Amino acid sequence: VRLFVRLFVRLFVRLFVRLFVRLFVLRRVLLLCLQYAVLRGAAAESTVYDARLQAAVRRFQAEEGLEADGRLGRLSWAALNTPVEAKIGQLRVALDMRRGLAAPGAERRIDVNIPDSRLKLTEAGRMVLDMAVVVGRPDRQTPMLDVRLAAVQFNPPWGVPDRNAREDLLPRFRRDPARMQAMGYRLYQRVDGELTEIDATTVDFSAYSKDRFPFIIRQDPGEANALGKLKFVMPNRDDIFMHDTPDRHLFRRPDRAFSSGCIRLERPMDLLAEAFNGMPAWGRERFDRVLESGATQGVALARPIPVRLHYDTVLVEAGSVVMRRDIYGLDAAYLRALDAPRSERLAEASSRP
C-alpha cells in the first residue's frame, strides 16, 4: 500500500509540475510574443487557466484558423510551438509570390485557398459567397489550377478512381460486401473484353490486395453517394471537381485536409444558385424537383465562372495578417529554393522544359 501511495504521489507531482510549466510557458508566449493586452498586469504571473488566459487562447486560435474553443489540443500546441523563424519564412515566401501577381479583375470568380480550406466567390470586388471546404490530404494533394466552372451534374454517379478503389474501398469490401452493395457500389470486371458486373458477395476479397485488384468500382446516385447530390464540373487533366458530400461533420473541424484531391463544399446549394445566376428557367423549385427525382442530369452554365485553386498560407483579414499551416510543405520547399545560391537556382531553371 505504501508503495502504491508513493507512486501515486510521485505521478501526481509530476503531472502537476508539467501542467504548471505548460501554463507558465503558454502565458508567457501569448503575452511576450503576441502582445495580448488581456494578459497584462496581475494576469501575467498567474498559474491558473483562468478566464483571461482562455480569452487569449481563443483569440490565438481564431487568428490561426483553428476552432476557437479555448481547449489546448494537438493543433493548438503545434501552432504555439511554431518557431518565429518559420513564420518569417512564410512571410518571405508570401511576399515573393505576390511580387508577380496581377491585380484581381472585377469579373465574377471563385477562389479556393487550399491551406485556408475556404471558397470565396467575388464579383466586382464584392464578397458574394464564403464557405468552408474540404481539400486534399497531404498524400493526395489538391493541385493548383486555373480552370472554369462549366457545368453542374445533378444526382451524379461516382466512377471510383483506381487508387481509391484499391486503398480505401477494398478493405471495406473485405469486411462487408453486402453493405457496400446496399450503399450503391457496383463491382465490374473485364471478361472477354466486355465490362461485366460482378456480384460482390461472391468474391473472395481476401485473395486481392491493393497491388492486385482487377475490378472497377462505380457508385450509383443516392443518399450514400460520396459526391452527394451535386457535382460542379470544371474540366481539367487532373479530373478535379467540386461536389456535395454526405460527410457533413468534417466542416466543423478546423483542419479540413481529408479528401482525395477534389473539393467538398459546405453549402453546395448556395454555389448552385450563384452558378445558375442569369438562367431564368432555373430556380430553387426546379433544383429541388430535379434532385428529388434521383435522375442524373447535367446542365451547362450560361456563364462559366473562372475558378482558381491556389496555395496561400499568409492572409490579410480585417486589416490583420493571419497565417495558416503549410499543410503540403510547399512554402518550405519554396523557401529552400529562395535561399539557394543563385547559381543553383539558374541551373534548376535552365533544366526545366
Side-chain angles (χ1 to χ4, degrees), residues 261-338:
C262 289
I263 308 296
R264 304 179 195 174
L265 301 167
E266 179 186 30
R267 304 198 314 271
M269 291 300 293
D270 290 352
L271 182 58
L272 181 68
E274 291 299 333
F276 277 75
N277 191 359
M279 299 173 65
W282 286 87
R284 185 59 189 251
E285 190 175 314
R286 188 173 179 184
F287 294 155
D288 291 342
R289 192 165 61 247
V290 174
L291 289 170
E292 288 170 7
S293 74
T296 300
Q297 181 176 345
V299 181
L301 300 182
R303 287 196 303 159
I305 307 173
V307 179
R308 178 172 169 252
L309 309 184
H310 60 102
Y311 193 93
D312 289 314
T313 62
V314 179
L315 317 171
V316 177
E317 294 181 352
S320 298
V321 174
V322 295
M323 295 185 177
R324 300 294 180 253
R325 286 194 310 135
D326 182 16
I327 56 175
Y328 295 165
L330 300 184
D331 277 8
Y334 193 106
L335 187 62
R336 286 195 296 272
L338 204 60

Side-chain angles (χ1 to χ4, degrees), residues 26-41 43-45:
L26 172 65
R27 200 173 290 271
R28 286 292 171 180
V29 167
L30 294 177
L31 174 62
L32 300 178
C33 299
L34 303 176
Q35 296 294 305
Y36 285 178
V38 71
L39 293 177
R40 289 181 186 148
E45 304 302 325

Side-chain angles (χ1 to χ4, degrees), residues 64-309:
E64 291 289 323
L66 304 173
E67 186 177 0
D69 57 4
R71 298 177 181 177
L72 287 163
R74 174 180 56 86
L75 294 177
S76 294
W77 278 115
L80 283 164
N81 287 320
T82 301
V84 172
E85 293 79 7
K87 297 285 190 182
I88 293 172
Q90 281 185 266
L91 288 168
R92 289 179 56 205
V93 168
L95 289 169
D96 194 72
M97 290 180 67
R98 278 164 173 72
R99 192 170 293 152
L101 285 180
E107 65 177 345
R108 184 170 65 153
R109 73 180 194 277
I110 294 171
D111 289 283
V112 177
N113 186 5
I114 298 166
D116 196 27
S117 296
R118 295 204 72 82
L119 175 150
K120 297 182 179 181
L121 189 153
T122 56
E123 186 168 12
R126 179 176 64 91
M127 183 72 67
V128 178
L129 198 58
D130 182 0
M131 73 173 77
V133 297
V134 172
V135 298
R137 63 200 209 197
D139 62 332
R140 299 182 188 179
Q141 299 178 9
T142 297
M144 287 173 277
L145 296 172
D146 281 293
V147 292
R148 299 180 81 81
L149 175 57
V152 174
Q153 191 175 47
F154 294 83
N155 301 307
W158 184 33
V160 182
D162 187 59
R163 182 176 181 180
N164 296 62
R166 294 169 182 268
E167 296 182 7
D168 304 336
L169 297 187
L170 173 57
R172 295 170 63 185
F173 271 102
R174 282 184 186 140
R175 287 194 298 269
D176 195 343
R179 174 170 170 74
M180 295 298 283
Q181 285 191 155
M183 293 177 66
Y185 286 102
R186 295 177 181 267
L187 202 65
Y188 297 88
Q189 190 173 23
R190 293 202 175 274
V191 179
D192 297 329
E194 296 288 330
L195 201 60
T196 304
E197 185 172 358
I198 307 295
D199 183 350
T201 61
T202 66
V203 177
D204 179 11
F205 288 100
S206 64
Y208 300 99
S209 68
K210 65 179 182 180
D211 299 318
R212 191 176 82 83
F213 189 73
F215 303 103
I216 295 170
I217 301 176
R218 301 281 186 266
Q219 189 181 24
D220 294 335
E223 295 294 334
N225 187 282
L227 307 187
K229 295 277 192 167
L230 293 165
K231 175 182 177 180
F232 295 82
V233 182
M234 41 191 201
N236 60 87
R237 287 185 293 182
D238 294 293
D239 197 25
I240 296 297
F241 50 86
M242 299 182 290
H243 63 91
D244 182 19
T245 174
D247 296 323
R248 312 304 304 172
H249 65 284
L250 293 176
F251 296 110
R252 296 194 296 270
R253 297 190 53 144
D255 54 328
R256 296 190 293 275
F258 292 106
S259 84
S260 292
C262 289
I263 308 296
R264 304 179 195 174
L265 301 167
E266 179 186 30
R267 304 198 314 271
M269 291 300 293
D270 290 352
L271 182 58
L272 181 68
E274 291 299 333
F276 277 75
N277 191 359
M279 299 173 65
W282 286 87
R284 185 59 189 251
E285 190 175 314
R286 188 173 179 184
F287 294 155
D288 291 342
R289 192 165 61 247
V290 174
L291 289 170
E292 288 170 7
S293 74
T296 300
Q297 181 176 345
V299 181
L301 300 182
R303 287 196 303 159
I305 307 173
V307 179
R308 178 172 169 252
L309 309 184

